[in-house]
Amino acid sequence: MKKKLGAVLLSTLMMFTLAACGGNASTNSANPTSNTGGTPANTAEPAANEELKPEPGAELRFWTFTTDLKPFTDYALKEFEQKYNIKVTVEDVGYWDSIGRLSTDGPAGVGADVFGLQTPDVANAAQSGLILPNDYFEEETKSINKPDTIAAATHDGILYGYPWNVYTFSLYYNKDLVKDAKLETWDDIIAFSKKFNDVKNNKYGFLYEPKTSAFDVAFMTGYGGYIFGNNETDVNDIGINNEGSVKGLKFIQSLREIMPLALADATNNLKEGLWGQGKLAINMDGSWAIGEHSKQPFPVGVLPMPKLPGGENAMPLAGSTGYYVSSYTKYPNAAKIFANFITTKEMQIKNNELTGALPAANITGTEQGIRNDELTQGFLKQIASSHRFPGLFETQYVWPALDAAVAEVWNGGDPKAALDKAADKLKSNIANQK
């Protein structure tokens, strides 16, 4: 999953969410369409003081990763099946593929009952009628999880998801290469890289993937830029071309001096390859890679995003992953019970213990079971100093516009002109969808 997450999961940060998937799913939790195409299932909720009971003979299909998450998945499914005597079949489906798959597999009766989604895709899934509200376990879910993860799992005031983990990115570094270098600011990183770089021998002090504009937003928000106003909730307030965003893009342009690569060549594959070979000192990557980087043959540390020249600390986007119940499920009660079971605070902590994923639950980092290693604790601190990932349906229009602006600027274009063009394109796409 590491390669997928490096090259594709982060692309879900910039992934163009599918516009209104098809299918016959219903958003009415009391009357969803059966995944066999027959009569709607009876999902009338029990009274508030009545325990939710799984349907007799329930069997569930679960879409998630079956590679890096296998230790947790094996553990959670064994516990669930022992408690409820419900068989769960697992299929390897990436979070970014769930909507497209369910829109066809759901009506065909072969879709998941429970599946994963990340922040960018929740609004699309809700508007497309693919997911059921998290109604029975709503208060429990809200009580244990961080407010931003609840917001990310909510659409039009309705909670749909069961938050599971959070993700952001920061700077991993090879301690053998960095040694005692001062790396407190981006000026320090640039100075270090100028001395360390040996381009002819493919040695670099710092690399990231600038063509993935979700990475670039960290530099824009560090100067006061934003995507949407009111904490990324107001699509009528576009901030990608404000003064802070322009200043951030100018800084990105300056990084070309220590990253003398064509934009098309500055890929995640190149970065991860050089990192594994010990030819890259500082690697901007995500918290989802904690498990992988902790297994490197060299000692790895993590730096918080440093202070920008004349500005504040760079603020990377932070999002969350949750599990969702398909509106096509024949067993909505069982599916809701399962989604809740695998996302309890205890299960989130167990997942961190087994895989390194960061819990969505309200934790301090000192709870029993939470990894106490440098990478986990460093990213828990970075999550607290990150910028909320917009979860609006309109977010899908952001990344093509920003990608084009970054490409233009990386090749010497004017940051202000490029971002003005991007903002106009974003506003036009939002207006045209209405």
Side-chain angles (χ1 to χ4, degrees):
M1 185 176 72
K2 169 62 177 67
K3 290 183 180 179
K4 277 188 177 181
L5 287 176
V8 186
L9 173 59
L10 231 293
S11 76
T12 66
L13 287 178
M14 61 174 293
M15 180 180 172
F16 314 155
T17 47
L18 303 173
C21 297
N24 298 318
S26 166
T27 56
N28 184 348
S29 63
N31 193 27
T33 305
S34 166
N35 68 0
T36 61
T39 58
N42 180 11
T43 63
E45 290 296 334
N49 60 349
E50 184 181 342
E51 181 182 359
L52 188 65
K53 300 286 187 181
E55 297 83 356
E59 294 186 2
L60 300 175
R61 184 179 289 112
F62 179 40
W63 285 352
T64 189
F65 292 107
T66 59
T67 50
D68 288 15
L69 295 182
K70 188 176 188 301
F72 171 75
T73 303
D74 288 349
Y75 171 83
L77 266 58
K78 180 180 178 182
E79 294 291 309
F80 179 77
E81 290 179 5
Q82 285 181 347
K83 182 172 182 178
Y84 291 100
N85 195 29
I86 295 174
K87 180 176 176 54
V88 181
T89 301
V90 184
E91 295 182 13
D92 187 15
V93 179
Y95 308 132
W96 44 84
D97 291 329
S98 294
I99 292 180
R101 283 280 301 272
L102 191 64
S103 64
T104 55
D105 289 2
V110 293
D113 298 280
V114 177
F115 59 95
L117 290 175
Q118 291 180 308
T119 301
D121 300 320
V122 175
N124 189 5
Q127 289 185 208
S128 302
L130 298 177
I131 50 180
L132 296 180
N134 174 359
D135 40 22
Y136 185 82
F137 296 103
E138 179 178 8
E139 294 307 314
E140 178 182 342
T141 300
K142 289 180 176 179
S143 71
I144 68 170
N145 292 301
K146 296 179 177 71
D148 276 357
T149 69
I150 296 298
T154 299
H155 181 67
D156 281 350
I158 298 174
L159 177 65
Y160 288 92
Y162 303 73
W164 188 57
N165 67 24
V166 290
Y167 56 87
T168 189
F169 54 91
S170 197
L171 304 179
Y172 294 92
Y173 66 97
N174 182 326
K175 293 183 178 182
D176 287 344
L177 300 181
V178 168
K179 297 180 180 178
D180 59 353
K182 180 185 176 184
L183 300 172
E184 296 176 0
T185 68
W186 279 100
D187 283 336
D188 292 335
I189 290 176
I190 291 170
F192 168 80
S193 298
K194 287 179 179 179
K195 293 179 181 179
F196 184 88
N197 278 4
D198 182 357
V199 177
K200 289 183 179 179
N201 291 303
N202 285 323
K203 290 181 64 178
Y204 294 90
F206 166 75
L207 288 178
Y208 84 115
E209 192 175 19
K211 67 177 183 177
T212 299
S213 57
F215 283 122
D216 301 305
V217 171
F219 304 112
M220 299 162 67
T221 56
Y223 282 116
Y226 55 88
I227 298 174
F228 299 124
N230 192 22
N231 195 24
E232 301 299 344
T233 64
D234 183 2
V235 298
N236 296 310
D237 181 2
I238 305 297
I240 62 172
N241 64 331
N242 72 0
E243 182 179 352
S245 293
V246 172
K247 195 170 183 178
L249 198 50
K250 287 180 179 178
F251 175 75
I252 292 167
Q253 191 174 50
S254 75
L255 291 176
R256 186 74 190 268
E257 182 179 9
I258 61 169
M259 287 181 54
L261 298 165
L263 192 68
D265 295 333
T267 64
N268 186 71
N269 285 341
L270 172 71
K271 176 172 68 71
E272 293 305 308
L274 296 178
W275 173 252
Q277 296 169 38
K279 292 185 175 183
L280 172 61
I282 303 169
N283 177 7
M284 184 186 286
D285 203 358
S287 57
W288 53 83
I290 288 174
E292 183 71 18
H293 290 315
S294 66
K295 300 174 186 175
Q296 294 293 348
F298 46 82
V300 178
V302 64
L303 296 169
M305 291 294 258
K307 188 175 292 294
L308 291 160
E312 301 298 324
N313 289 57
M315 294 186 67
L317 292 173
S320 63
T321 299
Y323 285 109
Y324 293 77
V325 174
S326 167
S327 56
Y328 289 103
T329 180
K330 290 193 297 182
Y331 308 110
N333 287 3
K336 290 176 184 180
I337 292 169
F338 176 66
N340 181 69
F341 182 88
I342 61 174
T343 58
T344 61
K345 184 175 182 178
E346 293 74 21
M347 280 294 183
Q348 291 185 42
I349 291 175
K350 189 67 176 180
N351 182 36
N352 173 260
E353 176 189 334
L354 295 174
T355 73
L358 302 180
N362 289 306
I363 61 169
T364 63
T366 60
E367 283 85 352
Q368 184 175 358
I370 291 292
R371 291 188 180 195
N372 195 34
D373 60 88
E374 181 180 348
L375 301 187
T376 298
Q377 294 299 319
F379 268 101
L380 286 173
K381 292 178 182 177
Q382 185 62 72
I383 283 285
S385 300
S386 299
H387 188 82
R388 178 180 175 182
F389 194 97
L392 302 173
F393 184 80
E394 291 82 0
T395 306
Q396 64 183 303
Y397 304 121
V398 172
W399 312 119
L402 273 183
D403 287 349
V406 172
E408 186 175 331
V409 169
W410 193 258
N411 292 319
D414 177 66
K416 172 63 174 171
L419 286 178
D420 282 345
K421 189 189 306 181
D424 288 343
K425 181 66 173 176
L426 177 56
K427 291 174 184 176
S428 175
N429 284 335
I430 291 174
N432 289 337
Q433 76 162 359
K434 297 177 180 178

